[in-house]
């Protein structure tokens, strides 16, 4: 392990100096390669004198410090806490060293590339204030500012902390005890920084990011609508089939999301307007996962889903071939959103495909898996408002991706029609979703499933339409429309949650 110890005390004869020496001895005992920086010895302008710190001339010592940080696996900051914060010389060091382009890169207003990942860090600070007082009354500003606002922001994680307090009234015996503790802290590097749990989470979190779990509840509720619609008609419900069927659909959605990330990687690379709602998971763009790992996971998940689908076919009371057919059709249509040869999202059909797979297709699967007949109109009718409510959100999701999609030839409706016309089409679908509900409520079975609470969706529709009209009227349309996306996605819930709980 390569360790950089940074001492932020302005005096050479300080107790912090002794702490640094003790830690270094322990780290070297552990077999680590150690470099040592005393900030007070560095020659650099302490103040940021230009509008953006990365544009200020970087002195020789600043460049040296940056090279050591890049070299290191583990950063150790040792300093006293004065007036609730670090000494001025250490703050100046951070201001000048941790600059954009070195420690992080601003992609857009609320998105940053963390350039110091996967380094770890240790903070050792002394203070006179008792730890409990500093934490509960002061809010631990010294540690928090360095740990959260600086190191974690730049990708350094985990960041350990050790606070030695109170220093002022401690005797030499206590100080010697602390030095021994710090020595052991350095010596423990022989066991590595990460706990087994942290090692596991470093492997798991990128995959959770790739899966994009925020979009899966919609599929679950749509699937539940189909399953409970069958129970409403027959009073029959197979819980094992329900669970296994959803696992199959979950895996299909994961495969689809991974496939989308893989085939959209070129447009995602140049997309500067991504958000939680659009622009992919960015695990490939950020290098968190490799293309080969995504491809291998798609293959493995496909094999697992095939095996589970066969088991599902045997467990379901529906004809075996019908279960296989419904699952296969859903899979092929879903994956073809970006995968060749169909590539629906590249030829103007992507929005309709997403609307279909997350409404009709999933509802019908839930209905068939329980033993229902594909020709029964009840689940199809329940899917109409849901389909019409999903399409506007998918259309508007193409707005932030517009420039990147246009450059790479991805023919979303926003690219093909232009932002204004595509927004007008989204408004049309919102209006149709409300009209469909009012018409379908005339059917007793549908009315019983959605009840009168669905009328509240009219207010939400008016709100959404007003936002869309306002967006259309802007000459310089914003690239980010997070507010509109949030409202449009919440609008879908009326047509997923209300019938789901109405049927349950």
């Amino acid at each position: 392990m390569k360790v950089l110890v940074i001492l932020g005390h302005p005096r050479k004869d300080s107790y912090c100096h002794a702490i640094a020496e003790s830690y270094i001895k322990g780290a070297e005992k552990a077999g680590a390669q150690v470099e040592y920086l005393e900030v007070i010895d560095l020659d650099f302008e302490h103040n940021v004198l230009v509008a953006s710190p990365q544009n200020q001339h970087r002195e020789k010592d600043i460049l040296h410090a940056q090279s050591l940080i890049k070299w290191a696996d583990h950063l150790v900051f040792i300093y006293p806490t004065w007036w609730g914060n670090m000494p001025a010389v250490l703050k100046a060091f951070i201001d000048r060293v941790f600059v954009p382009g070195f420690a992080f890169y601003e992609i857009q207003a609320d998105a940053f590339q963390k350039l110091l990942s996967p380094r770890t860090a240790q903070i050792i600070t002394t203070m006179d204030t008792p730890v409990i007082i500093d934490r509960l009354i002061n809010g631990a500003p010294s540690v928090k500012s360095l740990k959260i606002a600086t190191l974690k922001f730049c990708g350094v994680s985990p960041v350990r902390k050790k606070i030695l307090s109170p220093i002022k009234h401690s005797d030499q015996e206590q100080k010697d005890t602390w030095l021994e503790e710090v020595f052991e802290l350095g010596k423990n590097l022989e066991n590595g920084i990460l706990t087994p749990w942290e090692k596991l989470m470093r492997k798991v979190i990128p995959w959770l990011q790739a899966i994009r779990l925020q979009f899966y509840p919609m599929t679950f509720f749509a699937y539940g609508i189909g399953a409970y619609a069958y129970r409403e008609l027959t009073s029959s419900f197979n819980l094992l089939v329900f669970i296994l069927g959803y696992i199959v659909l979950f895996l299909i959605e994961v495969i689809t999301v991974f496939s989308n990330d893989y085939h959209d990687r070129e447009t995602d690379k140049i997309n500067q307007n991504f958000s939680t709602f659009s622009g992919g998971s960015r695990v490939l763009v950020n290098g968190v996962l490799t293309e080969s790992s995504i491809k291998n996971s798609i293959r493995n998940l496909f094999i697992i889903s095939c095996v589970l689908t066969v088991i599902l076919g045997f467990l379901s009371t529906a004809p075996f071939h019908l279960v296989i057919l419904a699952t296969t059709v859903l899979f092929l249509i879903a994956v073809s959103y970006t995968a060749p040869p169909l590539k629906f999202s590249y030829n103007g059909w992507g929005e309709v495909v997403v609307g279909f797979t997350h409404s009709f297709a999933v509802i019908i699967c839930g209905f068939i898996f329980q033993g229902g007949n594909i020709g029964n109109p009840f689940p199809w009718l329940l899917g109409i408002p849901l389909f019409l409510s999903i399409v506007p959100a998918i259309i508007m999701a193409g707005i932030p991706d517009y420039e990147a999609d246009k450059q790479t030839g991805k023919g979303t409706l926003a690219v093909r029609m232009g932002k204004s016309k595509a927004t007008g089409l989204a408004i049309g679908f919102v209006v149709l979703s409300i009209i469909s509900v009012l018409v379908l409520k005339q059917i007793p079975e549908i009315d019983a499933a959605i009840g009168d609470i669905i009328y509240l969706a009219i207010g939400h529709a008016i709100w959404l339409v007003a936002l869309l009209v306002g967006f259309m009227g802007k000459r310089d349309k914003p690239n980010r429309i997070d507010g509109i996306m949030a409202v449009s996605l919440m609008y879908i819930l009326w047509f997923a949650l209300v019938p789901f709980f109405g049927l349950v």
Side-chain angles (χ1 to χ4, degrees):
M1 184 179 294
K2 293 174 287 188
V3 180
L4 174 61
V5 176
I6 300 171
L7 178 60
H9 201 297
R11 293 199 315 271
K12 289 282 189 177
D13 60 347
S14 68
Y15 181 59
C16 281
H17 193 280
I19 291 172
E21 289 182 338
S22 185
Y23 185 91
I24 290 171
K25 289 178 182 178
E28 290 177 339
K29 182 78 172 177
Q33 302 177 55
V34 182
E35 291 287 347
Y36 182 40
L37 274 182
E38 288 194 54
V39 177
I40 194 61
D41 291 338
L42 305 183
D43 182 18
F44 65 97
E45 168 59 55
H46 287 190
N47 297 304
V48 177
L49 303 176
V50 297
S52 188
Q54 74 266 32
N55 294 331
Q56 185 162 326
H57 169 70
R58 282 181 280 183
E59 297 87 347
K60 180 180 177 180
D61 283 350
I62 292 296
L63 292 172
H64 178 59
Q66 289 179 335
S67 68
L68 287 178
I69 290 173
K70 285 291 188 182
W71 165 85
D73 302 311
H74 187 58
L75 308 175
V76 183
F77 291 85
I78 300 172
Y79 62 92
T81 294
W82 294 339
W83 291 108
N85 216 320
M86 64 187 69
V89 67
L90 180 57
K91 180 63 169 64
F93 174 84
I94 290 172
D95 287 348
R96 292 298 319 282
V97 171
F98 288 77
V99 296
F102 167 75
F104 66 94
Y105 171 71
E106 184 175 3
I107 301 171
Q108 56 186 28
D110 62 349
F112 301 87
Q113 180 72 40
K114 303 174 185 294
L115 300 180
L116 297 186
S117 177
R119 289 166 183 80
T120 57
Q122 172 74 57
I123 296 173
I124 304 174
T125 185
T126 61
M127 65 175 69
D128 291 330
T129 305
V131 174
I132 190 68
I133 299 298
D134 181 67
R135 182 179 301 167
L136 296 182
I137 297 180
N138 297 344
S142 173
V143 171
K144 280 187 176 180
S145 65
L146 180 56
K147 177 180 179 178
I148 300 173
T150 302
L151 296 175
K152 285 195 172 183
F153 180 82
C154 298
V156 179
S157 180
V159 179
R160 311 281 191 227
K161 63 179 179 179
K162 186 172 183 62
I163 302 174
L164 308 180
S165 171
I167 291 293
K168 186 175 182 180
H169 300 293
S170 61
D171 55 24
Q172 189 59 46
E173 182 180 357
Q174 176 62 73
K175 290 179 179 177
D176 290 341
T177 299
W178 281 330
L179 291 178
E180 182 61 30
E181 291 176 3
V182 171
F183 173 85
E184 290 298 323
L185 200 62
K187 188 173 179 295
N188 284 340
L189 292 178
E190 63 188 358
N191 301 317
I193 296 297
L194 303 179
T195 65
W197 173 254
E198 287 169 338
K199 291 178 181 177
L200 175 63
M201 293 311 295
R202 279 207 170 183
K203 295 179 180 179
V204 170
I205 288 176
W207 289 105
L208 292 178
Q209 182 183 346
I211 290 172
R212 305 184 81 190
L213 289 172
Q214 65 267 30
F215 295 115
Y216 290 72
M218 184 167 61
T219 304
F220 172 79
F221 289 116
Y223 171 69
I225 290 171
Y228 287 115
Y230 178 79
R231 190 187 69 173
E232 184 73 13
L233 298 176
T234 65
S235 300
S236 175
F237 183 80
N238 189 320
L239 180 60
L240 178 59
V241 167
F242 179 82
I243 295 173
L244 184 58
Y246 180 67
I247 293 174
V248 170
L249 296 187
F250 182 89
L251 292 178
I252 290 175
E253 188 157 11
V254 173
I255 292 170
T256 302
V257 170
F258 286 179
S259 175
N260 292 345
D261 261 7
Y262 180 78
H263 292 289
D264 274 348
R265 60 192 185 281
E266 295 305 321
T267 184
D268 289 343
K269 283 180 183 177
I270 61 176
N271 191 343
Q272 298 296 304
N273 302 307
F274 60 87
S275 69
T276 304
F277 311 112
S278 62
S281 71
R282 307 193 69 75
V283 292
L284 291 178
V285 175
N286 296 334
V288 179
L289 296 175
T290 63
E291 292 182 12
S292 61
S293 66
I294 289 290
K295 290 171 67 176
N296 290 336
S297 67
I298 291 174
R299 182 194 62 227
N300 295 334
L301 291 174
F302 175 73
I303 294 172
I304 295 171
S305 64
C306 287
V307 173
L308 294 180
T309 301
V310 171
I311 298 173
L312 178 65
F314 283 113
L315 293 177
S316 175
T317 57
F320 179 84
H321 73 275
L322 188 58
V323 173
I324 302 300
L325 177 63
T327 309
T328 302
V329 170
L330 171 61
F331 173 80
L332 292 176
I333 295 176
V335 172
S336 294
Y337 177 74
T338 54
L342 297 178
K343 300 183 71 171
F344 288 123
S345 63
Y346 283 76
N347 54 38
W349 286 97
E351 292 80 357
V352 174
V353 164
V354 174
F356 176 79
T357 55
H358 287 74
S359 59
F360 294 115
V362 180
I363 291 174
I364 294 302
C365 281
F367 192 75
I368 289 176
F369 293 170
Q370 291 296 320
N373 188 332
I374 193 172
N376 192 304
F378 187 43
W380 290 98
L381 293 174
L382 287 169
I384 293 174
L386 182 57
F387 168 78
L388 294 172
S389 68
I390 291 172
V391 174
I394 308 306
I395 291 175
M396 297 311 295
I399 299 296
D401 302 341
Y402 176 84
E403 295 297 338
D405 288 345
K406 189 174 182 181
Q407 290 183 50
T408 55
K410 186 175 180 181
T412 63
L413 290 180
V415 171
R416 287 173 170 265
M417 301 176 65
K419 294 181 181 181
S420 292
K421 290 183 179 179
T423 304
L425 183 61
I427 292 172
F429 273 98
V430 174
V431 173
L432 286 175
S433 65
I434 291 299
I435 293 174
S436 70
V437 164
L438 298 178
V439 172
L440 290 171
K441 275 186 66 65
Q442 307 309 309
I443 302 173
E445 292 82 1
I446 302 296
D447 185 51
I450 60 179
D452 291 338
I453 193 173
I454 199 68
Y455 287 125
L456 295 176
I458 298 175
H460 197 141
I462 293 172
W463 179 23
L464 178 55
V465 168
L467 291 176
L468 294 175
V469 170
F471 176 77
M472 284 182 66
K474 294 180 179 179
R475 175 177 295 180
D476 297 321
K477 293 178 173 55
N479 292 321
R480 289 286 296 273
I481 53 169
D482 292 1
I484 292 176
M485 287 304 306
V487 174
S488 62
L489 289 169
M490 287 190 295
Y491 180 65
I492 299 171
L493 296 179
W494 289 106
F495 309 99
L497 294 181
V498 169
F500 175 84
F501 287 108
L503 290 167
V504 169

